[in-house]
Amino acid sequence: MALSILPGLGYIFLGWMHDVLWPALFWYLLILLLSGWGYGIYREFDLPNMSGPSLDRWYRKISSFFYLFFLLWLTIFLIYIWIDAHQLHYIAIFTEIGASVVAAAILYPDRLLYLPTLLILMTPLVIYFSMLGEWYGYVLSAFSATLTWVLFYTASSSQALLLKSHHQASHDQLTGLYNHYFLINYMQQQMNSLREVGGHSYLLLIDLDHFKTVNDSLGHDVGDQLLEEVSARLNGQLPQGDVIARLGGDEFIIIGEVSHDELQSRQRAIGLAERLLATLKETYVINEHHIYISASIGISLTTSKENDANRFIREADIAMYEAKAGGRDGVILFDEELSHRVESNLEIERLLHFALEKSEFDLHYQPQIDRAQKIIGAECLVRWNNEKLGFVSPAEFIPIAEQTGLIIELGNFILERAFKTLNEWQQQGIELKQFSINISMRQFIHHSFIETVHHLSEQYLNDELRKKLIFEVTESVVAEDLGRIVGIMRQLQALDIRFSMDDFGTGYSSLSYLKQLPIDEIKIDRSFVCELDTDKGDQAMIVTILNIAEIFGPDVVAEGVETAAQFDFLLKHNCEIFQGYYFSRPLPKGEFEQFYRQQ
């Protein structure tokens, strides 16, 4: 508009000097009216946040604006080209060439705009020169046609460069899929569209299971080829209207087409996810390697109520990690229940940071009983009572503490409190044969763990008390570097500390592990004991565990004993140590001391 309004005043001045004032004034009035309309278009649309329908309306209006503007410049050419008496036709010629250059420079991103505009502006000039009837007129006509081609070629080349740059900026170089940059913009446009017209869509976040193993074992070149094949398979299953992008690494996102029915959108998402799982699990043959992988998929349903693309990606990401935590090779839909659990976990994580300094943790002690129902030991169990949340189960806060690293500080607190209690009980005449403390695997392999145990044992324990200590680890210990784990155990055994394998039989149990690890005790998981009365399979499992222990030598503790029938069965099959609510619940320190004295 600035290139028209300000120079347009010069044409009015020329028109006043050469008796064409009224046509020039009328032309300038049209320029002002058209500029006002253009400014209205500028104010009407919020271009960065527009959705599909709004973009369509904007494009139609802005296209009409440009066509009309350059037609007006053609008009001023037609007005002045015939006034050769005062050589105004030279100004008209220059005007037409200048307008054509401006059109090629401004409109090059859109072929539907610059091609007809250049033809509209330059064709009259070519015709004018050819009508002069002189040889130089034909030469100028040829030059004008050549200039038209040059402008067209320049605009086309600029457009091609623009499209290439846009493709590189919006596509993943390896797979050719859209990338994260494009994805966010596309999703935001879809959110805006949903907000305007309503409807529902879905988002699938796909993460390959154990892809790092392929890279580490077969090399990154095989990994890259695998990603290309995965991309091709995902594209092959993509419904029409859906968009797929590579989020990064081995993560992919699919954005579904807008649907007006929420249930239909949900069913489409789940059905597509299940098809993708089946497709991705088919064998890959790459460089003579037969590769088998699976995927974990999180689904988030998008609606017109929210307008934050990153939030839906985050929800799908949470659902995907739930699928991984559930054993991988699965599909999880983000819903209200999962949202509530995530919010609850975030609140627990936030409050955990202040729990130690507020002294909200305490230890309870569950008695361990021998065959004569006499107390021979105790297991330390941490309890958290928060002023806002109330009592929080260890099953809720311990995994969060492990994920965030707070388990190190919490574990050190438990060790110190437990060691101090064991020392106090010896001074009070409370004699136990064993004293069990649960050790998180993250705490166990931490670089300062052995040093911390050394320091606390020297501060609170003597040689006799150290022999009573049993560190309980879960079967997940075998998922770590076995050589490193055995090394840590040997160093702690030098302090006379023994080891118990907790929850035996529920995860990674193997006879070879019992042989390799210096385990002094195994604990039969409560999930087997609680079904003893009704499930013959659990009865057989417990008998098998007791027979294995008899062969390999470790003591056996049956935890979760709650009925006389369970106790009798375990007695009959030569179990030696028992723990559970049939004898006592976990007790605070003072109540445990009272329970011991009553015994």
Side-chain angles (χ1 to χ4, degrees), residues 365 417-432 462 465 468 588-597:
Y365 306 88
R417 179 68 64 85
F419 285 10
K420 187 176 181 181
T421 297
L422 184 58
N423 181 284
E424 291 174 357
W425 282 351
Q426 185 188 48
Q427 296 175 18
Q428 296 174 22
I430 298 177
E431 293 294 333
L432 302 174
N462 54 36
L465 291 179
K468 297 180 179 182
K589 181 172 177 286
E591 292 184 26
F592 182 92
E593 294 166 357
Q594 183 180 358
F595 182 80
Y596 177 87
R597 294 190 178 97

Side-chain angles (χ1 to χ4, degrees), residues 266-329:
R266 179 192 298 261
Q267 291 173 342
R268 281 181 180 175
I270 295 175
L272 175 59
E274 291 175 347
R275 292 197 304 273
L276 293 176
L277 283 184
T279 300
L280 293 176
K281 284 192 290 186
E282 295 176 3
T283 307
Y284 300 81
V285 181
I286 299 175
N287 294 352
E288 299 182 356
H289 298 290
H290 287 68
I291 302 173
Y292 306 89
I293 61 169
S294 60
S296 300
I297 301 180
I299 302 175
S300 173
L301 298 178
T302 60
T303 67
S304 57
K305 298 179 181 178
E306 296 292 339
N307 194 34
D308 184 0
N310 286 303
R311 171 182 173 175
F312 291 110
I313 295 177
R314 187 168 62 252
E315 289 178 352
D317 191 54
I318 291 170
M320 182 270 292
Y321 276 106
E322 284 289 310
K324 284 192 178 295
R328 306 174 189 268
D329 188 24

Side-chain angles (χ1 to χ4, degrees), residues 71-97:
L71 280 173
L72 281 179
W73 280 105
L74 174 63
T75 302
I76 202 68
F77 166 78
L78 295 175
I79 292 174
Y80 282 91
I81 195 64
W82 309 112
I83 310 177
D84 53 356
H86 304 287
Q87 298 185 343
L88 290 183
H89 61 289
Y90 291 123
I91 294 177
I93 293 170
F94 177 80
T95 298
E96 197 71 348
I97 294 174

Side-chain angles (χ1 to χ4, degrees), residues 176-201:
L177 302 178
Y178 289 118
N179 61 15
H180 182 262
Y181 168 77
F182 173 87
L183 176 79
I184 296 299
N185 289 331
Y186 178 84
M187 279 199 65
Q188 199 60 60
Q189 287 188 17
Q190 191 185 69
M191 297 296 100
N192 295 335
S193 178
L194 289 174
R195 183 179 57 186
E196 287 187 16
V197 301
H200 305 270
S201 183

